[in-house]
Amino acid sequence: MIFCIRIKLRMNIHHVLFFCFLSALQDGNTGLVNAINLYAGAEGGNGSVSCHLTSSGSTKFFCKGECKEEGILIKTDGVTAQSGRYNIRYKDGSSGRRNVTVTFTQLIKSDSGRYRCGLGGSSVPDSYRDFDVIITDAATLDENTRFSRAGTVGGSVTGGCLNTVYGSRKFFCKDECKQEGDILVETEENRAQNGRYSIEYREGSVHGLYVTITQLKKSDTGRYRCGYGRASSPNSSYTFQIIVVDGEFYI
Ligand SMILES: *[C@@H]1O[C@H](CO)[C@@H](O)[C@H](O)[C@H]1NC(C)=O
Ligand SMILES: *[C@@H]1O[C@H](CO)[C@@H](O)[C@H](O)[C@H]1NC(C)=O
Ligand SMILES: *[C@@H]1O[C@H](CO)[C@@H](O)[C@H](O)[C@H]1NC(C)=O
């Protein structure tokens, strides 16, 4: 059983902290798995998140928390805007989706938290996406000059196979697909699963192809590749990093 205490601190912005305690009878499966769309960045690095939104409004938002007055980092009617270490960039997307990309530069530890990118009327976004950010030590900057997809131990992570060109055969690999054991899923179907790993083609979605790992373990941290064609000789692929963090790391 998990006991949670919610503490609300009033600082320059609201922080809601959850402290959770596992009962002594529990089997040691610790970790909060309530992070949403988690991204990890290294201290000193940069990070961007693209949000594909459907509002017809013209005001773009980049906020810490829920776009309440004090949490608004950038609010603009322009195509691009910059405020300190924060940037927002707008692009018309395909099939009615509109692309709001928000960027952090020179990440610092206190950037960890929940953010919202949005589009809408002048006061509040009517279409938005929330995401969480955690900042790891500067020592990890080498492999991590931009955001990586991240998940918490015991949770799951789903990522799109960006900028890939459709083909009927699909694959999902650990590392570079060079060894037989690297291939996690290879299929001609639109959906396939192999234990904790799955791949799904979602017709009409932003990225088309998506991969998921469930019941995350620390050892899942690493590089992955997904795309179309044969895993051993891809026609089109996307390589990305997944970082798995302890749930307690997340506030
Ligand atoms: C972060 O972005 C800035 C501005 O675009 C760039 O000068 C800097 O080299 C980037 N830092 C890293 C670690 O990539
Ligand atoms: C959204 O915009 C960003 C930055 O301009 C770009 O890197 C990304 O590919 C765009 N996403 C799509 C699906 O076009
Ligand atoms: C890879 O691309 C080639 C040429 O575009 C195409 O003929 C072939 O069917 C593709 N292979 C797969 C497995 O999708």
Side-chain angles (χ1 to χ4, degrees):
M1 191 183 281
I2 303 176
F3 301 93
C4 293
I5 300 172
R6 207 175 91 149
I7 298 177
K8 202 164 184 180
L9 301 175
R10 197 166 222 288
M11 294 199 249
N12 54 340
I13 54 166
H14 288 292
H15 285 280
V16 178
L17 305 179
F18 286 89
F19 290 102
C20 293
F21 305 95
L22 290 166
S23 91
L25 296 171
Q26 206 40 33
D27 59 10
N29 179 20
T30 59
L32 295 172
V33 288
N34 60 349
I36 49 165
N37 300 317
L38 186 61
Y39 293 85
E43 201 173 6
N46 299 332
S48 291
V49 174
S50 289
C51 307
H52 304 280
L53 306 170
T54 52
S55 168
S56 57
S58 61
T59 309
K60 297 94 189 171
F61 294 84
F62 180 7
C63 310
K64 184 140 193 182
E66 297 180 357
C67 292
K68 300 255 169 62
E69 199 73 29
E70 66 271 42
I72 297 175
L73 304 172
I74 301 183
K75 177 173 155 182
T76 182
D77 283 334
V79 169
T80 179
Q82 176 94 25
S83 170
R85 297 183 301 108
Y86 308 108
N87 179 277
I88 200 165
R89 182 172 296 274
Y90 171 82
K91 268 189 198 162
D92 286 326
S94 55
S95 55
R97 283 196 200 80
R98 307 168 76 206
N99 180 353
V100 175
T101 298
V102 296
T103 301
F104 302 72
T105 50
Q106 290 293 312
L107 288 163
I108 53 177
K109 278 284 171 73
S110 60
D111 286 333
S112 293
R114 180 158 296 176
Y115 293 84
R116 176 169 289 183
C117 46
L119 192 60
S122 58
S123 57
V124 285
D126 50 40
S127 173
Y128 60 82
R129 177 171 185 249
D130 287 339
F131 60 94
D132 290 339
V133 167
I134 60 160
I135 309 303
T136 56
D137 289 336
T140 61
L141 182 60
D142 270 2
E143 315 92 68
N144 256 319
T145 54
R146 52 193 186 127
F147 278 156
S148 299
R149 282 314 306 258
T152 51
V153 173
S156 67
V157 62
T158 295
C161 306
L162 278 57
N163 307 318
T164 47
V165 180
Y166 183 83
S168 60
R169 184 179 284 268
K170 305 151 191 96
F171 69 88
F172 178 21
C173 295
K174 175 115 201 206
D175 297 317
E176 302 291 322
C177 308
K178 290 285 183 274
Q179 292 160 347
E180 185 76 14
D182 287 349
I183 302 173
L184 304 171
V185 190
E186 193 167 9
T187 183
E188 294 264 1
E189 303 296 320
N190 280 345
R191 184 168 205 296
Q193 183 171 352
N194 171 21
R196 299 186 300 119
Y197 308 101
S198 60
I199 190 164
E200 185 176 11
Y201 175 69
R202 300 179 189 161
E203 200 169 349
S205 64
V206 174
H207 302 301
L209 195 60
Y210 293 82
V211 293
T212 299
I213 307 177
T214 59
Q215 295 163 49
L216 287 166
K217 304 173 191 173
K218 267 294 182 68
S219 58
D220 290 327
T221 293
R223 288 172 76 75
Y224 293 82
R225 176 183 270 194
C226 60
Y228 298 99
R230 294 194 175 278
S232 53
S233 57
N235 272 17
S236 174
S237 72
Y238 175 68
T239 302
F240 60 103
Q241 172 98 3
I242 288 178
I243 292 181
V244 181
V245 297
D246 286 322
E248 307 91 86
F249 194 93
Y250 173 70
I251 293 175

